[in-house]
Amino acid sequence: MSDVAVAVTVNGERHELTVPPWETLLECLRDRLGLLGTKKSCDVQVCGACTVLLDEEPVSACTLLAFEARGRRLRTIEGLAEGDDLHPVQEAFVEHGALQCGFCTPGMIMATVALLQENPTPTPDEVKHYMRGNICRCTGYKSILEAILAASRRLAPGAETGRGA
Amino acid sequence: MAPETLAVVGRSVPRLDAREKVTGAARYVTDLALPEMVHARLWRSPVPHARLHGVGVERAAAAPGVLAVCTAADLPVRRLCYGPAYKDQPILADGVVRYAGEPVVAVVADTPAHAEAALPLLDVRFEELQAVTTAEAALAPDAPLIHGALDPAGHFRDLSGLRPIAGTNVCHHWHAERGDLAAAFAEADLVVDDAYHYPALSHHALEPHCVIARVEADGSFTVWTGTQHPFPVRRELAEIFDVPLARVQVIVPLIGGAFGGKCYTKIEPIAAALAARVRRPVRLALSLEESARTITRHAVTVRLKTAIRRDGTLLARECDVVLDTGAYADIGPRVATKAGYRAPGPYRIPHLRIDARCVYTHNVPAGAYRGYGVPQVTWASESQLDGIAERLGLDPLALRLRNLLKRGEEYVAGDTPMDGDLAEGLGAVARAVGWGVPDAPGRGQGLACAMKDGGGTHTVSMAVVRVHADGSVSLFAGTVEVGQGARTVLAQIAAETLGVPFETVVAVAPDTALTPYDHGTSASRSTTVMGLAVQAAARDAREQLLRLAADLLGTDPAALDLRGGRVVHGDRALSVAEVVRGHFGLVGGEVTGVGTFVPGAWSGSLGGATVFWETGMGAAEVEVDPDTGAVRIHKYVSAADVGTAINPRECAGQDEGAALQGLGPALFEARASEAGQLLNPGLIDYRLPTFLDLPDRFDTLLIENADGPGPFGSKGVGESGTFCAAPAIGNAIARATGVRLREVPMTPERVWRALQDARPKASAS
């Protein structure tokens, strides 16, 4: 099979790539574009460590093929902070100690950004349900739940701080 | 130092690594790459037991991109076998395969895909042999022997007492007894004798095992690995390649979780041997499924026979603990000793007999896992204790309080007396769960309590603190940042002790060529044991700074105080930077402090008094659906006695994480195997706790009596939260339904079947 030409916008930057048809988006991001924040763990779309946003929808980069991102917009963990300013979700994760080993954290944060875009004021049960595809082996989830709810308050329309997701 | 005078200890400062982790900038071993790096893949045995008759490598060797194809005979090593207890595990299978998934052949290629593509081209000829896949089968008198003569590693002092039973598959038998059992059983009003089972588990740290190894031009080795034990790995590699310790450099960046699965040497020897073979840096990155075929938690069967007086006083207990350690011992013998030692539970029991046997089988090797045998034996002992309360008509809390060790009471003669308040912790979780009055009818509540000798047995830690010319501080401690927040907590201890702002301290990643010796990152030891070494190093540097400042100020060091990064003398003050520069002149220089923790007296039944007792308590409130057997956890409250919380939020995070990790095996987590074949290696079939498993109310209580041996009265935390989850939930299920399970996980099917089995009996009586 011949390689596929892929034009894709990643974190606002346009890339013209030529990839083998079997290359996963995860391999493409990590090995080709050097975006190592997206983590490889279960490889079967269960753990959520490789969650990125494809046209602002959360997807598992381990089971999506790179060419499927043709002509679309991708956002990875590297695309959240603006310079030294953390995204409000990142800030909330730091403030609430919502991470330990940190391996799930990029995927967890990207899923949270998607959740809060879809549902800016989720209830705790809605958070748990939405986030069930992101496994954290360290924290016990409680601190992450608190961080997500705090980020929601900060990002909610009318909140004083926050610059929108 | 009184708490109110502390500047940074006791505060939930953000983790040093938080920013890099939330921005994706954090780098783990799996993120590293070296120039000219090549990639290894392993051909693993499809069967649990086989004799190898040769490997046809020609087609694989000729495949695109392949640099080398290696069997055991091709590895340039002085010593093929390694292991922390016995040198029983070959780097690649040597003539015999002992478990399904064992590495047999390694392929090195220019890309991972090329290495992978060559694996099916190998022609491995083997003859399958009868496999022994349960500890019970391995203990049978006619069971085939899995190993011949055993070669003790001699690495650790407490493992000098290995007791294999010749002519059997028992690689270690630990035995202890005291008192007069026969008399105690004769005197008892009630004797309960039953057995409990706990299955093998997968660690499933989200970052799978990964190693990059490079052989330097002078024959030295540099290894980047996600290990919890860089110094023991260094020693193992030095022995394998017969080089001095100084010629092996083990570097550990951030680790994406471990939970014991990255203790001791794992795949480092394969990567290093391949690097020596191809003379290029070799990366060996396992998949999560391969990690599950590298190490497990021990499946354990515990038989307990307990004698009690009618009033609930425990008289005697016989404990028989059998651990399936798989094909290679790994650290199983020590886990067996510790499981046996802790099997009676945190109670006053005058008459005891304990046997713990570590048994070879043709399964994936089992080793360390958060709690080191305690969750398994606590499942048995705390379940049985509730059954006893039920039989005697006693309240389970009152029964425990009657027998719990008191502060200062000895568990075993010669070991550290109980240094915490068990009753306080148990009382706290009972109150928090509303003991005795469930929130709704039909619910049940359960309690459990456990302890573990914490801090590691006879282990050494050393630290160095360097105060630079600008007043900033580098902390060299070999403790691995595995997620627990150790670098942050150790930096807090260093900053507090030195008297400098926390922000000025940088904790250097472990590197055996730079950071001084540390035994390893396990046993909840780092805050206490490494913490004391860091504190000593910081004190050393502080005293030097005060002497230098006294010279500069023309006064006595005793007249000076160092706080907030300033040496204060009356109304004069010098910054730390001014002191260092003033002493050395403008060009700089630095002040270096050194600290060492060496264990104390060598006594007690484990061969060493524990550094501290790590205690844990849990209380649950559950509801059981009688139609499906599904268990819903409404409340789970855990308590951890941390002495002093150096960083309260990180302490709570450790306990919460541990407790939730304990809920998985209580309700659904287990490795499923059939005839030695692991049926659920990956996350599709092996279910881990998710957000949906978070109980409605999930709390951790930190008990702080400043009574720990660590800096500022601290003691270790991290494992205790896992001890009690399964028995507390099992006890709650029993109180909700009248049905007691003796095997975890308590899946809906198991609970439902137990409910069905109980029905006819209920109607017949």
Side-chain angles (χ1 to χ4, degrees):
Chain A
M1 273 183 283
S2 52
D3 289 356
V4 186
V6 175
V8 60
T9 303
V10 184
N11 300 329
E13 196 182 323
R14 196 176 151 79
H15 295 269
E16 311 266 353
L17 307 171
T18 309
V19 301
W22 53 80
E23 182 167 300
T24 66
L25 182 58
L26 182 60
E27 290 166 334
C28 181
L29 289 171
R30 287 180 58 86
D31 304 339
R32 209 174 279 277
L33 300 179
L35 295 169
L36 296 169
T38 305
K39 299 303 178 196
K40 175 182 161 75
S41 179
C42 78
D43 273 325
V44 286
Q45 206 181 345
V46 174
C47 76
C50 65
T51 305
V52 296
L53 303 186
L54 183 64
D55 288 337
E56 298 302 293
E57 293 285 333
V59 295
S60 292
C62 71
T63 46
L64 206 76
L65 294 170
F67 80 83
E68 293 181 86
R70 262 186 310 200
R72 301 175 76 175
R73 281 177 305 123
L74 273 169
R75 262 220 287 179
T76 72
I77 188 72
E78 289 88 353
L80 276 195
E82 287 180 6
D84 285 342
D85 294 336
L86 294 182
H87 185 282
V89 172
Q90 291 171 313
E91 274 175 5
F93 270 64
V94 173
E95 283 166 19
H96 289 263
L99 58 109
Q100 288 180 19
C101 87
F103 208 74
C104 74
T105 307
M108 197 68 81
I109 287 175
M110 296 314 288
T112 301
V113 169
L115 159 67
L116 297 180
Q117 284 177 169
E118 216 173 284
N119 178 359
T121 53
T123 64
D125 279 345
E126 286 170 341
V127 172
K128 290 183 194 177
H129 189 261
Y130 192 94
M131 298 297 293
R132 70 194 186 284
N134 285 80
I135 290 174
C136 173
R137 201 73 174 117
C138 298
T139 61
Y141 299 108
K142 187 179 171 181
S143 56
I144 303 180
L145 176 65
E146 287 165 356
I148 294 172
L149 294 171
S152 149
R153 288 191 294 273
R154 194 169 308 178
L155 285 165
E160 282 177 21
T161 53
R163 52 188 166 75
Chain B
M1 227 181 282
E4 62 270 20
T5 66
L6 296 176
V8 64
V9 158
R11 293 179 203 279
S12 297
V13 294
R15 304 169 59 100
L16 291 173
D17 53 17
R19 196 179 173 91
E20 57 180 314
K21 284 177 173 173
V22 300
T23 55
R27 291 291 171 262
Y28 302 78
V29 188
T30 42
D31 299 322
L32 304 182
L34 297 181
E36 303 183 346
M37 184 173 83
V38 292
H39 301 267
R41 281 284 188 275
L42 303 173
W43 190 93
R44 294 170 178 274
S45 173
V47 298
H49 191 199
R51 186 169 294 121
L52 291 167
H53 290 305
V55 182
V57 302
E58 298 73 19
R59 286 179 64 217
V66 171
L67 281 80
V69 180
C70 295
T71 64
D74 304 316
L75 299 176
V77 296
R78 182 65 62 93
R79 181 169 194 169
L80 185 68
C81 291
Y82 65 98
Y86 295 108
K87 301 286 182 201
D88 60 354
Q89 183 159 9
I91 298 171
L92 293 172
D94 183 26
V96 181
V97 159
R98 293 191 180 88
Y99 69 93
E102 179 165 3
V104 178
V105 189
V107 173
V108 183
D110 56 351
T111 67
H114 279 147
E116 184 81 37
L119 294 180
L121 305 178
L122 290 164
D123 178 20
V124 184
R125 295 181 293 274
F126 60 88
E127 169 196 353
E128 195 171 354
L129 303 171
Q130 183 201 343
V132 181
T133 57
T134 64
E136 194 187 5
L139 286 173
D142 58 344
L145 288 186
I146 292 162
H147 287 272
L150 291 169
D151 178 14
H155 282 191
F156 302 107
R157 199 168 171 186
D158 68 301
L159 288 175
S160 58
L162 286 170
R163 301 273 180 275
I165 302 179
T168 75
N169 288 312
V170 177
C171 67
H172 178 54
H173 178 196
W174 186 77
H175 174 82
E177 61 179 77
R178 71 170 175 228
D180 182 344
L181 276 146
F185 279 109
E187 183 198 333
D189 295 310
L190 175 67
V191 174
V192 177
D193 184 351
D194 52 14
Y196 296 81
H197 185 70
Y198 197 104
L201 297 178
S202 296
H203 299 75
H204 281 323
L206 284 193
E207 184 187 34
H209 291 83
C210 182
V211 176
I212 300 172
R214 182 172 72 193
V215 179
E216 310 298 341
D218 65 357
S220 302
F221 289 82
T222 309
V223 176
W224 291 260
T225 176
T227 183
Q228 297 170 251
H229 281 92
F231 288 86
V233 167
R234 176 183 67 159
R235 176 166 175 175
E236 200 97 75
L237 291 173
E239 288 180 356
I240 287 168
F241 297 104
D242 196 21
V243 294
L245 293 176
R247 291 206 172 273
V248 181
Q249 183 178 10
V250 177
I251 301 170
V252 187
L254 296 172
I255 297 191
F259 316 112
K262 295 168 185 170
C263 278
Y264 310 102
T265 302
K266 291 290 177 281
I267 58 170
E268 293 86 357
I270 307 181
L274 295 174
R277 170 74 191 238
V278 302
R279 312 304 291 187
R280 297 266 295 267
V282 170
R283 179 181 194 259
L284 175 59
L286 303 189
S287 66
L288 203 71
E289 287 85 347
E290 285 184 290
S291 284
R293 289 191 162 99
T294 300
I295 193 74
T296 75
R297 175 188 266 185
H298 287 88
V300 180
T301 300
V302 186
R303 194 182 67 78
L304 295 174
K305 185 177 169 190
T306 306
I308 319 100
R309 270 205 208 105
R310 185 166 292 110
D311 64 3
T313 306
L314 291 170
L315 294 174
R317 201 166 224 184
E318 261 181 41
C319 311
D320 182 39
V321 186
V322 175
L323 299 89
D324 174 353
T325 207
Y328 301 107
D330 197 83
I331 201 66
R334 186 192 274 152
V335 178
T337 295
K338 301 273 185 171
Y341 182 72
R342 299 149 179 170
Y347 303 102
R348 189 182 309 113
I349 308 180
H351 308 278
L352 272 180
R353 179 157 65 215
I354 311 171
D355 290 280
R357 285 171 292 168
C358 189
V359 186
Y360 281 128
T361 62
H362 289 118
N363 289 324
V364 174
Y369 191 131
R370 205 172 199 169
Y372 225 73
V374 179
Q376 295 100 319
V377 296
T378 300
W379 160 242
S381 59
E382 288 296 286
S383 295
Q384 190 186 62
L385 204 58
D386 254 48
I388 289 167
E390 211 174 284
R391 298 268 292 272
L392 294 174
L394 297 171
D395 176 71
L397 174 60
L399 173 65
R400 286 180 173 81
L401 292 175
R402 168 180 283 273
N403 293 288
L404 274 178
L405 293 169
K406 292 187 172 22
R407 183 192 293 278
E409 201 173 336
E410 275 189 333
Y411 177 60
V412 177
D415 281 354
T416 304
M418 173 46 58
D419 54 0
D421 191 334
L422 290 158
E424 180 190 3
L426 194 60
V429 295
R431 273 194 305 281
V433 85
W435 181 248
V437 193
D439 280 357
R443 293 190 189 176
Q445 296 177 330
L447 288 169
C449 184
M451 70 180 196
K452 166 182 185 287
D453 44 305
T457 311
H458 282 258
T459 61
V460 172
S461 284
M462 304 182 77
V464 166
V465 165
R466 289 168 60 192
V467 183
H468 303 291
D470 63 354
S472 65
V473 177
S474 296
L475 171 59
F476 290 74
T479 294
V480 173
E481 182 55 72
V482 69
Q484 80 283 40
R487 284 191 208 172
T488 307
V489 164
L490 295 174
Q492 285 179 267
I493 292 167
E496 189 71 57
T497 307
L498 262 171
V500 300
F502 173 66
E503 298 71 30
T504 62
V505 181
V506 172
V508 174
D511 177 337
T512 59
L514 300 175
T515 47
Y517 181 85
D518 176 44
H519 168 79
T521 304
S522 59
S524 307
R525 69 188 288 282
S526 297
T527 299
T528 309
V529 176
M530 180 56 87
L532 289 169
V534 167
Q535 192 177 36
R539 275 194 188 130
D540 182 12
R542 178 187 170 92
E543 282 161 18
Q544 293 180 52
L545 286 167
L546 289 177
R547 277 201 303 275
L548 300 184
D551 284 348
L552 293 171
L553 292 165
T555 182
D556 188 84
L560 302 176
D561 190 19
L562 169 50
R563 54 190 144 87
R566 296 169 77 76
V567 178
V568 183
H569 180 237
D571 53 2
R572 292 177 65 194
L574 287 174
S575 70
V576 168
E578 285 169 325
V579 174
V580 178
R581 287 187 200 146
H583 176 74
F584 289 100
L586 285 177
V587 287
E590 64 185 38
V591 169
T592 302
V594 181
T596 301
F597 174 88
V598 187
W602 180 245
S603 64
S605 63
L606 275 187
T610 182
V611 183
F612 62 92
W613 289 102
E614 185 177 3
T615 62
M617 303 85 190
E621 182 169 309
V622 311
E623 195 170 351
V624 179
D625 182 332
D627 296 326
T628 64
V631 176
R632 184 177 165 89
I633 303 173
H634 289 281
K635 299 184 205 169
Y636 190 82
V637 182
S638 176
D641 181 351
V642 299
T644 296
I646 305 287
N647 186 317
R649 195 179 53 215
E650 294 302 323
C651 283
Q654 281 296 295
D655 196 66
E656 284 166 13
L660 199 89
Q661 204 162 56
L663 296 185
L667 293 184
F668 47 78
E669 233 186 283
R671 286 165 74 95
S673 293
E674 210 172 275
Q677 296 289 351
L678 178 61
L679 302 178
N680 56 351
L683 289 195
I684 286 180
D685 297 314
Y686 187 101
R687 188 158 108 61
L688 294 176
T690 73
F691 260 104
L692 294 177
D693 298 302
L694 186 56
D696 303 338
R697 183 175 160 204
F698 183 65
D699 285 329
T700 278
L701 311 172
L702 296 183
I703 296 170
E704 295 190 75
N705 294 323
D707 52 3
F712 309 98
S714 59
K715 37 181 134 165
V717 63
E719 294 168 279
S720 59
T722 62
F723 300 166
C724 294
I729 290 164
N731 291 339
I733 292 172
R735 279 163 69 88
T737 65
V739 165
R740 178 166 299 283
L741 278 80
R742 292 190 169 76
E743 183 172 1
V744 284
M746 294 173 277
T747 56
E749 183 182 344
R750 277 207 179 116
V751 173
W752 184 84
R753 284 193 190 285
L755 291 171
Q756 298 308 304
D757 290 347
R759 259 181 207 165
K761 269 185 249 159
S763 58
S765 62

